[in-house]
Amino acid sequence: MNDSEALAEITDELHLPGDKLRRIAANFTEEMLLGLAGKKSSLKMLPSFLGQPQGLEKGEYLGLDFGGTNVRIMLVSFKGNGAYEVIRHIEFPLRDEKKGYDYTQASVSCEELFGFIARNLKRIIKRDRLYPLGHTFSFPCRSAGVNQATLITWTKEFETVGAEGRDIGALLEEALRCEQVNNVIPCAIINDTVGTLLAASYRDKGCDIATILGTGHNTSYLEQRNCWSKEPMIINIEAGNFNLLPLSGFDRLLDELSEKPREQILEKMVSGRYLGVLLKLILVGLNERGDFLPGVDLRHVLKEKDLTAQDISAVLTNAPDSLPYKGHLFCFGYGLMVKTTHDWQCLYKTCQALRNRSARLAAATYLGILRHIDPLLEKPHVIAVDGSLYEKMPGYAAVLQDALQELLAEKADRVKLKLVKDGSGVGAALAAAMAHNS
Ligand code: GLC
């Protein structure tokens, strides 16, 4: 087998044509229905106990956004006419190699993690007033009401000990009490997709689906008929756990190497947390077949390192058919140099194939949701999107848009994608406004 055949084999395996996407969409709809009916399904379909906001909510509320290794806290002022303003915000990492701490690892307890968050929260509040707080916690949680959320399982490779099975609201309250923060009133805990849907629909009622395409991947939507309330309710699908999917050998390998094998299969194919890992596995595979960077022991060079979604973005910023940087040199940031056109093609086409598969899979799941909420696409829909892949990876938004166009054909103009930045923080504050006044 010659070199380009090895590459073609991989890119072919990663390509998902329209008919496969339609099958995936149909399976996704079925799994949604099973999940809603409480039957066995890879989709958890978790109730949020919130519907769309009225757009009239007013006042200042705190939003705490905890969904990855960076936590953000913001004070948001809602104006009551669909407008809002972020008055103050702070951001801090849960992991900092230079400062020597990592609150995401298994040697740390959840009390220590929430204590750290509570101490940071003090930096944004004043002593002389009350702050209702909404908390976005972007992990699968089962709730019995808007201010209660039991963590089912960590995702995105978090390992902090003692949190699974615990009420996250109670953990935060306890941490605030220990830090003597008495003027912050936690009122709501929501998922980031729910926050994004709230923030987007505060301005535009047409938004009934929200999705995150970033470190993690997930989607929520407004369910008209549900067993929890007579009113429409936002459901967190936990779409990242969907598993009726055509896996390549590299997906299987990544799954085996992950913290939680056989969980979050869609997320492992779509999200930024895993795309770089897949790239590494594929490049090492090509290298071992003598195809990519011959003469370099790539497995050894990348032993302790993962490639990242940012690496993929950096590759895709360049033109496909020319070596970048005129000097015919591409440094990968790991002491690696791609000098030949063939190696560059291997690298570029693999990145392109991973990006395209991610965006096309996401599009298939949106089709699955639309088929459930509006089978004939009689109404217009806005899908709010947040996350670094959609916002920053070159070509990602266009591939997603094209895939939707391909799948929805003549109805494509009924569905719009809309970037909503900071949705989970603003949405958390909005959830507090809705819960506090209800
Ligand atoms: C993971 C979490 C999910 C979250 C998503 C995006 O999939 O399980 O709750 O919405 O990441 O942050």
Side-chain angles (χ1 to χ4, degrees):
M1 181 181 288
N2 70 33
D3 294 351
S4 48
E5 272 175 22
L7 177 63
E9 201 181 89
I10 289 168
T11 50
D12 272 3
E13 207 180 357
L14 295 178
H15 177 61
L16 295 172
D19 56 334
K20 277 203 182 152
L21 294 186
R22 284 193 193 87
R23 207 167 317 135
I24 290 169
N27 287 338
F28 196 86
T29 313
E30 261 179 47
E31 289 282 282
M32 285 177 71
L33 293 173
L34 288 172
L36 281 174
K39 299 198 177 131
K40 193 170 176 307
S41 164
S42 62
L43 298 178
K44 296 189 179 70
M45 309 300 288
L46 303 167
S48 69
F49 297 94
L50 289 167
Q52 284 179 317
Q54 294 186 335
L56 306 171
E57 291 77 1
K58 263 188 178 175
E60 289 183 9
Y61 295 87
L62 276 180
L64 162 60
D65 180 12
F66 172 6
T69 46
N70 270 337
V71 173
R72 294 179 319 149
I73 307 178
M74 52 181 79
L75 183 63
V76 189
S77 168
F78 295 98
K79 313 287 183 196
N81 55 355
Y84 60 79
E85 184 193 350
V86 177
I87 301 176
R88 277 200 299 280
H89 79 279
I90 56 167
E91 184 162 350
F92 50 94
L94 294 178
R95 181 195 296 154
D96 188 330
E97 261 177 46
K98 283 198 197 108
K99 293 191 179 153
Y101 68 82
D102 182 354
Y103 287 93
T104 70
Q105 65 184 7
S107 60
V108 174
S109 73
C110 56
E111 286 80 10
E112 289 170 301
L113 165 65
F114 279 94
F116 179 67
I117 292 175
R119 281 196 294 288
N120 273 285
L121 196 141
K122 285 182 182 171
R123 297 198 275 132
I124 196 170
I125 56 173
K126 297 188 175 124
R127 279 271 157 217
D128 56 353
R129 52 167 286 195
L130 289 179
Y131 294 93
L133 171 133
H135 178 184
T136 290
F137 184 68
S138 315
F139 300 91
C141 288
R142 200 163 296 282
S143 305
V146 71
N147 197 23
Q148 186 276 331
T150 302
L151 176 61
I152 301 171
T153 173
W154 281 123
T155 51
K156 298 178 273 197
E157 312 290 301
F158 267 69
E159 295 176 274
T160 317
V161 122
E164 291 178 342
R166 296 277 289 281
D167 179 358
I168 298 304
L171 278 173
L172 179 67
E173 277 184 20
E174 180 60 17
L176 291 173
R177 205 180 51 74
C178 290
E179 290 297 324
Q180 276 136 31
V181 180
N182 306 317
N183 55 337
V184 170
I185 314 155
C187 305
I189 307 184
I190 56 171
N191 184 259
D192 52 355
T193 57
V194 176
T196 303
L197 210 165
L198 290 176
S201 54
Y202 184 64
R203 290 200 158 136
D204 176 358
K205 276 272 162 52
C207 174
D208 52 5
I209 299 177
T211 189
I212 305 288
L213 287 162
T215 309
H217 168 58
N218 186 17
T219 307
S220 66
Y221 73 104
L222 189 68
E223 174 63 66
Q224 298 294 336
R225 301 167 299 268
N226 64 81
C227 61
W228 298 279
S229 148
K230 291 200 181 77
E231 300 300 319
M233 185 185 287
I234 302 171
I235 304 290
N236 165 17
I237 299 176
E238 282 298 321
N241 197 46
F242 181 62
N243 62 9
L244 301 177
L245 291 161
L247 300 185
S248 72
F250 297 105
D251 297 309
R252 291 203 176 85
L253 186 56
L254 176 139
D255 186 45
E256 284 308 320
L257 297 171
S258 68
E259 275 306 320
K260 297 203 166 145
R262 284 165 292 286
E263 288 181 25
Q264 300 297 104
I265 299 296
L266 178 68
E267 183 159 77
K268 286 171 180 159
M269 299 167 87
V270 169
S271 83
R273 173 65 186 76
Y274 298 99
L275 283 182
V277 187
L278 280 171
L279 175 65
K280 171 174 152 180
L281 293 175
I282 294 175
L283 292 181
V284 167
L286 283 169
N287 174 258
E288 285 177 349
R289 290 162 81 168
D291 208 342
F292 178 67
L293 294 178
V296 173
D297 182 351
L298 195 58
R299 182 182 292 278
H300 181 73
V301 175
L302 295 179
K303 195 156 176 258
E304 300 293 330
K305 299 174 185 125
D306 274 342
L307 300 181
T308 65
Q310 284 88 331
D311 290 324
I312 297 183
S313 289
V315 169
L316 294 172
T317 333
N318 298 282
D321 53 358
S322 64
L323 277 170
Y325 305 150
K326 289 194 187 103
H328 296 265
L329 190 79
F330 184 82
C331 285
F332 218 26
Y334 302 93
L336 294 169
M337 286 180 190
V338 173
K339 295 181 195 160
T340 66
T341 304
H342 174 75
D343 281 352
W344 172 246
Q345 286 296 308
C346 282
L347 180 59
Y348 190 90
K349 290 197 173 149
T350 308
C351 290
Q352 198 177 36
L354 286 169
R355 173 198 68 194
N356 293 359
R357 186 180 70 156
S358 162
R360 288 175 70 78
L361 277 172
T365 66
Y366 306 154
L367 177 66
I369 298 167
L370 289 163
R371 284 270 156 75
H372 168 65
I373 57 179
D374 184 7
L376 300 176
L377 276 182
E378 288 166 315
K379 285 179 274 167
H381 300 269
V382 174
I383 305 179
V385 196
D386 198 359
S388 49
L389 291 182
Y390 184 78
E391 198 194 341
K392 299 200 177 124
M393 183 172 281
Y396 195 99
V399 176
L400 181 60
Q401 180 66 60
D402 288 353
L404 272 180
Q405 171 85 43
E406 180 186 333
L407 294 173
L408 300 169
E410 73 281 3
K411 299 274 178 78
D413 62 341
R414 301 268 162 90
V415 181
K416 299 259 176 299
L417 293 163
K418 186 173 170 195
L419 176 66
V420 176
K421 294 213 291 192
D422 296 336
S424 45
V426 172
L430 190 51
M434 293 164 74
H436 192 62
N437 296 320
S438 66

